[in-house]
Amino acid sequence: MRLVFAGPVIEWRGPAPYYFVVVPDEESADIREVAAMATYGWGVVPVAARIGGTSFETSLFPKDGGYLLPLKKAVRTPQGLAAGDDVSVEMTVLLGT
């Protein structure tokens, strides 16, 4: 399943700050339809994603009926991303991994 969307970068504060892109409702609904075939536990869904010139693999976190795409520093820094930025994401849900 391939998705293209735009969403805001948010910061989740904890012992160390974490950054995520909020997956929009429509795309989250599409992901929920295949999540059982993709998840390897705890509701996380493995994906391959691309933001600008940076490609990476990670797992979506379920949150309040939707999903959050984690953004490591190795993704944020080359793209100059910070909390509050809107970003375009190309993403593929990795089924059966």
Side-chain angles (χ1 to χ4, degrees):
M1 169 184 284
R2 185 170 182 275
L3 303 165
V4 177
F5 62 89
V9 175
I10 62 166
E11 181 179 5
W12 181 333
R13 293 203 175 257
Y18 293 92
Y19 294 85
F20 300 91
V21 176
V22 178
V23 178
D25 292 341
E26 183 177 333
E27 286 79 3
S28 288
D30 292 341
I31 294 165
R32 278 193 303 277
E33 289 181 15
V34 299
M37 294 182 286
T39 188
Y40 54 87
W42 308 286
V44 297
V45 176
V47 297
R50 181 178 184 86
I51 296 175
T54 305
S55 296
F56 59 102
E57 288 190 9
T58 190
S59 293
L60 300 176
F61 289 22
K63 176 82 168 115
D64 299 330
Y67 291 93
L68 300 175
L69 174 67
L71 296 179
K72 294 180 182 179
K73 186 175 183 178
V75 175
R76 293 190 323 271
T77 300
Q79 300 304 313
L81 300 175
D85 291 346
D86 283 320
V87 297
S88 294
V89 177
E90 297 174 34
M91 186 174 73
T92 301
V93 175
L94 303 175
L95 299 175
T97 57

